[in-house]
Every structure is written in C-alpha cells, then in structure tokens.
Amino acid sequence: MIDRASHEGGEHRAGHTSADPQVHLRRFLAALASRAVWLGSRDAESAVQETLKRSLQHPAARTAIEFYFSEDLPDEPTRPEWPLDQLFAWLHGVLYYVVRDENGRASRWREMPMGMLESDRLDGSRPIEPADPGPDPLEQILGREIKGIVAEAFPKLARDYRTVLTMRVNGMKYSEIAGRMGVSENTVATWVSRGIRELGQHIRRRTMRALPSRGSRK
Amino acid sequence: MTDPNQQDRAERLDRYVRGELTPAEARELAQESLEDPGLFEELTYSALANKAIAAGPAAGRIAKFPSRRTLIITGSIAAMVALASVYAIRYPGRRPGLHATLQASSGGKQPILLADYLSNAPAAQPDAFRGAETQSRPPRVSGTVVSIDNGAATIDLGSADGLSNGMALDVYDEGGAPSPEGSVVLAAVFRDRARGSIKGRVRLHDRVQIAPAIHLSARMEAVRALADGGNVGAARTAAEDAARWAVSVHLPPHVLAPAWNTLAALRILQGDRTEGEALLRQALSACSRTDPSYPGIVNNLGVLAELAGDERRAEEQYRNARQALAGQTGELQTQQKVVESNLARVAR
C-alpha cells in the first residue's frame, strides 16, 4: 500500500532500501520520472512528487494507483473505479501540466531580477499565468490539445479504421458495425483498437514535436 | 514468423484499448509497463486517443452517421432527384474536345473523375511488375490453415486476397461445418500467406473464409491494377464481374457503392455515359453524405453534366462534392484538388 502520510505531504523521496514497502511505488515513480524528463522537466523528481500528490488527492485516482501500481495487494483490494486507460490518461494530464508549470516558473525566474518576488513586479503587470489547469487536468488537456490532434490525424487513418471509429462514436455496437460493413465482429473490434492506437501514435509524435528541445528524441 | 510474445502483447493492447481487460489483467499490464518505457508510453497515448474519441463529435471530422430514418429519407430524395435528372439532362450541345479523364495532372482542361478504386495518377505506363502479379493470382475468398505453431496459425491467403494486419478471419471445420469454430487474428500478412493468433478451435487444414466485403475490396484492387496498367477494358470487365458477385452474395448496397462508382467511372471513360449515370445514381442512393465515396460520386455526376454541356448543373454538383470534402486532409486532399480543378473550369 502507498504510504499516504508521506505522499500527501509530497515528501516522498526515492532511494529507500529494498526492504522498503514502497519499493514498487518507487518503480512507478521512476516510470513517471522518465516521462517527466521526456516532457521536458528539468527537475523530474519534484515533478513526479507533485504529480503524485495531486493524483492521491483524487479518490478515484488514488484507488487506481494503489490497485494497478502497488506491488502487493491486500487480500481484498478495493476494485478501482477507473479502468487502467483512465488512469494513464489522467497521469499524463497531471504530469503534463506540472511540467509546464515548472517550465513557466523557470522562465519567469529568468525574466525577473534576482530576489524579486512576483508581487513586486515594477511594471505592475500580472505574473505569467501558471499552467496548472485546475481540478481536472485530463479534461483540460483533452479540450485544449488532444482533441485537436485527433481531429487532424483522423482523416489520415485507413478508411476502414475511420469508418468503424465513426460508427463507434455514434454509439453503434460491434455487431451493427459488422453487419453494415460486411465483416466479422472480431475484425471490427480489431480495427477499432488499431485505429485508436494509431491515433495514439499521432498524439505522441505531435506532443514530441511541440516539446522544447525534443527534436532528436525518438 | 511472428514472435508469440509480440502477438500476445498486441492482443492485450487491443483489449486494453477496448476496455476488455479484467482488473487483474490490467494490473499485470500496468506492472509490466513499469519495466518497459515503450509500453508505458503506448498505454498513455492510446488512452489519450481513446478519451478524445469517446469525447465524440467535438473531435472535429469524426462525423455523425445519419439515422436509418434519415438514410431512408435521403435515399428517397436521391431517387426522386435521379428520376427528375433523367428528364432534365438531355445532353444538349456537347462541347467539342471535352472528355472525362482520371488524370489529375490534365491542367484543369478536362473534367476529372474520382473513384475509390481508380488512381488519379499521371498517364500510367503499364506497370509490368504489378500487372503481371495481379493477373497471375486472382483474389480468393477462402483458403486453408497450412500450419499451426505456438498458438499461431499460418494460412494460404495474403494481401493479394485483401488481407491486412488486425483482420479476424472465421475458421470452419474442413468437413464443412456451417458455423465457424474459431478465428485467426492476423498479425503478419504477406502476399500469399498470413499468420495470426488463434481464437477458439482451429486445426490444420481447416477452412478459412474471407468476409465478402473484404473479398470485394480485393477484387476491386485488382481492377485498379488493370486500370493503372492502361487496360481500361479489362478493368471494366473485372469490375463488372466483381459487382455481380457482390450482388449475388447479398452484400448491402452501401458496401457496393464504391464498386458501382468505380464501374461507372470506367464506363464513362469508355464513352458509355448512360450506363455510367445509372450506376452513379445507384451508388448515390446507397450511401450517405458522410460516406467516403459520396464526394467522388457527386463529382462524377458533375463530370457527366459538364460533358452534356450543362455547366450550371455541373457547378452545383462540384460544389456539393467540395462541401462534402471540406476540412479533410490526408488521402482526401487529392480528391479536393480534383474537385477544385473541376469547379474552377465550369465556374469561370
């Protein structure tokens, strides 16, 4: 189980011994740290701690993290309300905004004379708006960026993928789509998932292009 | 050969995306992702795509499909328009020197046709390699399981038969059982062979059946190869055979619409505009505005009107086609250029 006392205060530190009960949380944190670096964080550990803190404050996210990422489950674990994809999308949203927030602060610091507080700005202007999106980072990132990328990438999908996804969005069942397209339900199901995974790759590429100094990353 | 581990992962990822994993399976996948940054990344971006798709029409070009009632009403209107058009278009005053073409590079001087299974390429030289291959091996609608190894089956059908990765093929007992006993989900597809994971009961020599819509698509790709090779006559014959076969197996009309449009274009290219128009009307009544074939069909009706000297009607059809293509990117950009070119000529 996750030690909430330490995490809710954001005071967790990597580097526990192998006997530490949080050893698999550490693996989770390491994975998040790798993502934070990929997203352009200069202080991945802090970004991860902040992401974890915000996630654990959300009951559904906390239950999901405990269920999917802790090493040992209790005998009767609480079944997570969220499916795994919801958790992955949520974590990306939180981490993305935490890293943006971090980069925004870094640029503000560069703009201000040493020792100057934001409230003391001589020109009376407002400090740069923090990137923190508020209570639902996933909704925010979907609305601000991901939907646009998907809309742009969608016409590039193979025709069959586009057709099944369009029908799916419109609430048609696999059996209905299969009947309409003259293929088996299994084929429809596979096209749905492959189409979504291909869109995921478009999102990845576009995110990578948008990141500062990420041009050489693959 | 396909790595069974890769196959297993691909299958689990597919199920993850569709939300079919049990909590225990999802946890196992999550734990794996902690050791594999690539997997962690794929799970993240697939999840984001899934959420964006689920958010629905706000995702821009993901169009709403009309209801069945709307389709029926639209179809009826289309049929009435078709009847009216037969009387309205009398092909007055054909403009000399005007002929339909598939060449998008015609400099905007000739009306350009669009069809799902014909290429808008520069004047094609016969493609010896592709043409020879296509003629040596017509697409097949069924095959057999030729080997089974590590939970994966190899079948004697491939891309030449319209197969692609991810397709699931029904497998029947070789004795001729009426219902499938298992399926093969394809993970590696070659020209004459394919390999995939087994679901249900699959044995050596079992019969594998390709869905009729896929077989039709494969036959129409062969039509494209013939037309690209400059053999319009043979392409037309092959398209007619394919359409007849599709009707005989009761494929729904909307599945047939792209084939009818292609056959119509071939007829028009050969100067048979009456039959071409009948096929276009048939195709139009079978599909909705959101169907990918719709812009091409409407464009081709515009071409017919233009050839008949009815530029006002042609302009109207080209504008309809342009509207249906608005905002599209990717492969549909070629169609947009063609329609713009056609429109510019009659709207001068």
Side-chain angles (χ1 to χ4, degrees), chain B residues 140-145 155-157 205-210:
Chain B
R140 293 160 55 200
V141 72
S142 66
T144 52
V145 175
I155 60 173
D156 60 354
L157 301 168
H205 306 309
D206 275 357
R207 183 167 57 88
V208 184
Q209 192 71 32
I210 292 181

Side-chain angles (χ1 to χ4, degrees), chain B residues 75-90 277 281-282 284-285 313:
Chain B
S76 305
I77 292 170
M80 284 190 283
V81 170
L83 279 173
S85 301
V86 167
Y87 291 101
I89 300 176
R90 308 304 302 174
E277 181 171 350
R281 299 288 174 198
Q282 199 173 356
L284 188 67
S285 64
R313 179 74 180 145

Side-chain angles (χ1 to χ4, degrees), chain A residues 84-96:
Chain A
L84 184 58
D85 67 327
Q86 174 75 22
L87 178 60
F88 268 103
W90 163 273
L91 287 170
H92 175 85
V94 176
L95 187 60
Y96 182 83

Side-chain angles (χ1 to χ4, degrees), chain B residues 100 102 113-115 118 232 260-270 276 279-280 300:
Chain B
L102 284 169
L113 293 161
L114 285 171
L118 296 176
V232 174
W260 282 332
N261 183 32
T262 302
L263 183 52
L266 290 167
R267 291 267 197 180
I268 294 166
L269 284 172
Q270 290 196 307
L279 285 160
L280 288 176
N300 295 347

Side-chain angles (χ1 to χ4, degrees), chain B residues 15 17 26 74 107 276:
Chain B
R15 293 179 57 223
V17 168
T74 309

Side-chain angles (χ1 to χ4, degrees), chain B residues 233-311:
Chain B
R236 173 183 152 176
T237 305
E240 283 169 346
D241 288 346
R244 250 195 310 274
W245 173 85
V247 170
S248 74
V249 296
H250 308 295
L251 267 177
H254 63 267
V255 177
L256 266 157
W260 282 332
N261 183 32
T262 302
L263 183 52
L266 290 167
R267 291 267 197 180
I268 294 166
L269 284 172
Q270 290 196 307
D272 187 353
R273 288 188 280 150
T274 307
E275 183 60 24
E277 181 171 350
L279 285 160
L280 288 176
R281 299 288 174 198
Q282 199 173 356
L284 188 67
S285 64
C287 67
S288 67
R289 281 185 67 86
T290 53
D291 193 294
S293 298
Y294 179 86
I297 296 167
V298 176
N299 173 78
N300 295 347
L301 284 167
V303 169
L304 275 182
E306 190 182 349
L307 289 174
D310 189 348
E311 292 198 344

Side-chain angles (χ1 to χ4, degrees), chain B residues 5 31 60 69-70 85 102 107 163 195 200 227 233 238 250 276 283 319-320:
Chain B
N5 292 332
Q31 293 288 327
R69 183 164 172 248
T70 311
S85 301
L102 284 169
L163 301 186
R195 190 169 171 78
H250 308 295
R319 285 192 190 282
N320 284 342

